Amino acid sequence: MLQVRHLVKYFGGVKAVDGVSFEVHAGECVALIGPNGAGKSTCFACIAGQHRPTGGEVLWAGRHIDALAPAQRLARGVARTFQVAQTFEALTVLQNLQLAVTARLGLPAWNELDRVMVGAAGQLLARIDLQSLAHADVLGLPYGAKKRLELGIALAGLGEAAPAASHAQANDAPTPRLLLLDEPAAGLAEPERVALMQLVRSLAAEGLAVLYTEHNMDAVFGVADRVLVLIEGRLAAQGTPLDIARHSEVRSRYLGHAFDADRP
Ligand code: ADP
Ligand code: MG
C-alpha cells in the first residue's frame, strides 16, 4: 500500500503541494485529477523520488521511502511514467524493451542488444499490444504508440516478463508493485485512449496499485475505482467517481456545472 502523509513541496516561494494525504491499495486504480498547475506531477515526483518533499512522508509497503533514490524505489516496486513520454528515440520499439529488461536484471546494457532478452521483450510487446511496430524506430512512432511503449518500459522496470532467474528465490513473496502514470492517455484519440485505459485497468486487476493523472474525464469515469482531486496543491476531495461528479467545489472549480458523469 502507498501512504502519502501531509506531503508538502515548495519550489522557492511556490507551494506546489500543500499538505496532501491519501492512500492507494494493491489492486486499486486511482485517478488524481485537477487543473493544470494543481501539483499532480509534483506529487508523482515526490513519490517516485525525482523530488525531495519539503515536508511530510511517503510510505510504500509499510516502509519510508523518502530517502531513497528513484532507482532504489524502482527496485522496491515503485515505477512511473512521465507526462511527456520518455523513450530512446534512436532505437526500435523492441530494442527499447530489451534495454529496459536488461537494465532491470542489472546486465551490461549495450552488449549485442539485438540478441539479449528477446523473449522477455516480446512478452512485454504483446502486453502493450505493439507487436506490429516491434521493429519501427521510436522517433517516427505515433504518440499513442510512444505512450504505450513507455508503459511497457515501466512494466519492465517492475519485473513484468523478467526471466525466472532474476528472482532471488522462487518462493520469495512477490514484490508489491506501484505504477504511477502521469497523463497516460494525453494526446491520444478517443479509441486509443479507451484501449489504453483498459490496459491500465487490467494491470490493477492483476494486483498492481495504480495511480494516474488524467484530464480526459472519459479516462476517469468508468475507469478509476476512486478519484482524488487536487486544487492549488490541496486535496479538495476524494471518493468514488460518483461522489466526485456530485461534489460542489469540484464541479465549480474543475469539472464545470454542466458535467455529466454518464457522458464525460
Ligand atoms: P500539474 O501536474 O498538476 O499540472 P505541477 O506539479 O506540474 O502541476 O505544478 C505545480 C506547481 O508547481 C505549478 O505552479 C508549477 O509551476 C510549479 N512547479 C512544478 N515543477 C516545478 C519546478 N521544477 N520548479 C519550479 N516550479 C515548479
Ligand atoms: Mg502535470
Side-chain angles (χ1 to χ4, degrees):
M1 183 204 339
L2 172 69
Q3 294 168 289
V4 174
R5 295 182 183 158
H6 312 293
L7 187 68
V8 176
K9 178 66 183 176
Y10 296 165
F11 294 107
V14 177
K15 243 187 199 181
V17 179
D18 188 9
V20 166
S21 301
F22 61 83
E23 295 179 350
V24 182
H25 300 258
E28 246 193 330
C29 187
V30 177
L32 179 64
I33 66 172
N36 275 323
K40 303 180 296 294
S41 293
T42 304
C43 275
F44 274 25
C46 290
I47 298 167
Q50 285 77 32
H51 288 324
R52 281 300 279 274
T54 312
E57 47 190 21
V58 179
L59 289 92
W60 170 239
R63 303 173 100 165
H64 283 92
I65 56 171
D66 305 277
L68 302 178
Q72 295 172 305
R73 297 187 201 203
L74 181 57
R76 284 166 178 71
V78 176
R80 74 167 294 189
T81 64
F82 289 83
Q83 195 166 336
V84 177
Q86 306 285 307
T87 53
F88 294 104
E89 302 220 313
L91 302 179
T92 66
V93 170
L94 186 65
Q95 286 170 334
N96 267 264
L97 293 170
Q98 288 173 277
L99 195 57
V101 176
T102 305
R104 158 79 190 182
L105 298 177
L107 301 172
W110 299 103
N111 286 346
E112 304 183 61
L113 183 58
D114 286 332
R115 267 178 273 170
V116 295
M117 297 299 149
V118 180
Q123 278 179 43
L124 284 165
L125 203 58
R127 196 75 184 78
I128 57 174
D129 202 13
L130 278 187
Q131 294 101 318
S132 60
L133 292 171
H135 300 292
D137 287 335
V138 171
L139 185 62
L141 280 190
Y143 193 64
K146 247 185 230 182
K147 297 290 275 185
R148 275 181 180 268
L149 174 57
E150 202 198 16
L151 181 56
I153 292 172
L155 291 174
L158 289 176
E160 173 103 2
S166 73
H167 299 302
Q169 301 261 305
N171 53 3
D172 268 1
T175 309
R177 297 183 293 172
L178 170 66
L179 195 51
L180 303 162
L181 306 172
D182 202 350
E183 302 196 14
L188 270 57
E190 198 200 336
E192 276 184 310
R193 190 159 70 231
V194 169
L196 186 72
M197 294 318 296
Q198 272 172 1
L199 173 57
V200 169
R201 264 221 67 85
S202 72
L203 293 168
E206 287 167 22
L208 273 73
V210 177
L211 179 65
Y212 69 100
T213 70
E214 200 38 67
H215 284 294
N216 291 290
M217 289 305 122
D218 63 5
V220 174
F221 292 86
V223 177
D225 299 311
R226 211 147 53 75
V227 182
L228 311 169
V229 187
L230 266 192
I231 296 180
E232 293 175 4
R234 286 183 313 108
L235 197 63
Q238 61 174 314
T240 65
L242 200 60
D243 294 336
I244 296 305
R246 290 175 175 160
H247 192 281
S248 59
E249 186 190 358
V250 176
R251 288 182 74 86
S252 65
R253 300 190 63 183
Y254 183 57
L255 292 175
H257 288 294
F259 179 76
D260 177 354
D262 294 326
R263 276 193 302 272

